[in-house]
């Protein structure tokens, strides 16, 4: 097994480039950090380009890595460089990005979460993890949303990218039109003149829920073509909820 | 009005010390960062020791600061030093910590959220904001929870500390005993042999809900004395929910 001790190594340069969108798109891969995520990728038979680990982590986990998956041992310093933190666990997997081509006209079954320009990586990751827990089939992210393979999103998703379909940089206008053409109810989440309390909606098997940008909410053009817009009634004085919390409340109530 | 341009100024030293628990306890104050929070403190007539702003922010907002509240103009550099970020809005208020003495034996009305060692400041702040939105009367935090006046918590609370009662470093055993003595149902949130689906619980006017540590959940000793333990049924493959999302789902379902 190759042992890498220099941050100048050409593989290390590729691995650190995965911290950026450009680096991920160029290589068609992203990084999983920590055994919990690496193990989930192995369990779900995700396409892994390389397992990278410090000596200590390699000793513990190499036995669980299938033959044929290239393994590289790295120094603690290289591990910190790849993780961009001072205290990485010391095991990583370079993993292929999923195929992003997906046409909503083929969606006839299962619930979908649509994210309109959600920008905080922690919110995006938590929403995808919550959609997974609530049994959604997929999450589609508009342009200007945080990239779902950004390291902060990957940490917050906790492996949910292996359990549901993720599609990024979608045209939400097109998605809403096609889902509605397939008899989906598409719910906006917003407080407006015509919005209704989410508690009055009867749960369904197949629907789509749109959540909007942290500051601006859902694009008015998209909001105008939803089947219904839902709001959450507040009993207290807070002006708003965190979008990941609001999303959790709506996903678990509707599904 | 005093104009401060040096980070060595004795007031600036006190203001930056509020980033730490020690500094907050020594002065009995904490810092609000940004006009939105400063305005909410003024609206709620919170006891403010000082309003601190850059020239630009002072020009915009001094008119809204009541006479008698000391105002200090600071340079951009001092503002960055106080905020510990490179891009502060440039307006702050040094505010008194609320009185922390509170005996749960006097609680006969309103719902309470009890946090057992929730450690992530973002989670603590988001949970307090969500409790406010859900109409809770107060939040009690055990020892080893993130301090609710830590700057990251203050940012995530978005002013909810002015809308409900916050009590920190409580003995949760004592709280559960006294609330139950006052005929409160105290719900744990945990998956266990005897836990029930939260959707089967009939909403009540007065109850308490306990949320536990991100990794370990609720202390078993406390869990054993709850009225009932609730779990959230997952339809998908995710193993867990973020505690702030789980808290939001439970608070809005129960209240």
């Amino acid at each position: 097994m190759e042992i890498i001790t220099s941050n100048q190594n050409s593989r290390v340069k590729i691995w650190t480039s995965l911290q950026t969108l450009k680096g991920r798109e160029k290589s068609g891969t992203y990084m999983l950090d920590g055994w919990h995520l690496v193990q989930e990728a192995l369990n779900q038979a995700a396409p892994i380009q390389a397992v990278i680990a410090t000596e200590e982590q390699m000793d513990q986990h190499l036995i669980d890595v299938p033959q044929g998956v290239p393994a590289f041992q790295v120094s603690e310093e290289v591990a910190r460089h790849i993780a961009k933190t001072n205290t990485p666990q010391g095991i990583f997997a370079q993993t292929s990005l999923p195929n992003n081509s997906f046409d909503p006209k083929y969606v006839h079954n299962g619930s979908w979460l649509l994210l309109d320009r959600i920008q905080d990586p922690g919110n995006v990751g938590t929403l995808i993890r919550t959609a997974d827990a609530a049994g959604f089939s997929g999450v589609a992210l508009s342009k200007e949303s945080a990239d779902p393979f950004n390291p902060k999103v990957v940490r917050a998703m906790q492996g949910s990218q292996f359990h549901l379909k993720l599609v990024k940089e979608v045209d939400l206008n097109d998605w809403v039109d096609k889902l509605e053409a397939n008899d989906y109810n598409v719910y906006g989440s917003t407080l407006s003149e015509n919005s209704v309390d989410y508690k009055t909606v009867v749960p369904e098997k197949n629907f789509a829920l749109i959540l909007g940008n942290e500051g601006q909410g859902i694009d008015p053009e998209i909001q105008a073509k939803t089947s219904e817009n839902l709001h959450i009634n507040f009993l207290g004085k807070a002006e708003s909820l965190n979008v990941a919390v609001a999303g959790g409340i709506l996903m678990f109530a509707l599904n």
Side-chain angles (χ1 to χ4, degrees), chain A residues 102-112 175 178-179 182 184:
Chain A
F102 189 86
D103 192 326
K105 78 180 173 195
Y106 301 113
V107 172
H108 292 279
N109 229 317
S111 296
W112 278 75
W175 271 67
K178 287 178 173 166
L179 288 171
N182 288 353
Y184 265 62

Side-chain angles (χ1 to χ4, degrees), chain A residues 107-150:
Chain A
V107 172
H108 292 279
N109 229 317
S111 296
W112 278 75
L113 180 66
L114 312 182
L115 303 184
D116 181 22
R117 295 164 300 141
I118 308 271
Q119 288 178 327
D120 179 81
N123 284 341
V124 168
T126 302
L127 282 164
I128 294 169
R129 175 182 174 194
T130 306
D132 177 16
F136 277 53
S137 300
V139 180
L141 301 93
S142 75
K143 282 167 200 158
E144 296 174 66
S145 297
D147 184 68
F149 302 100
N150 160 328

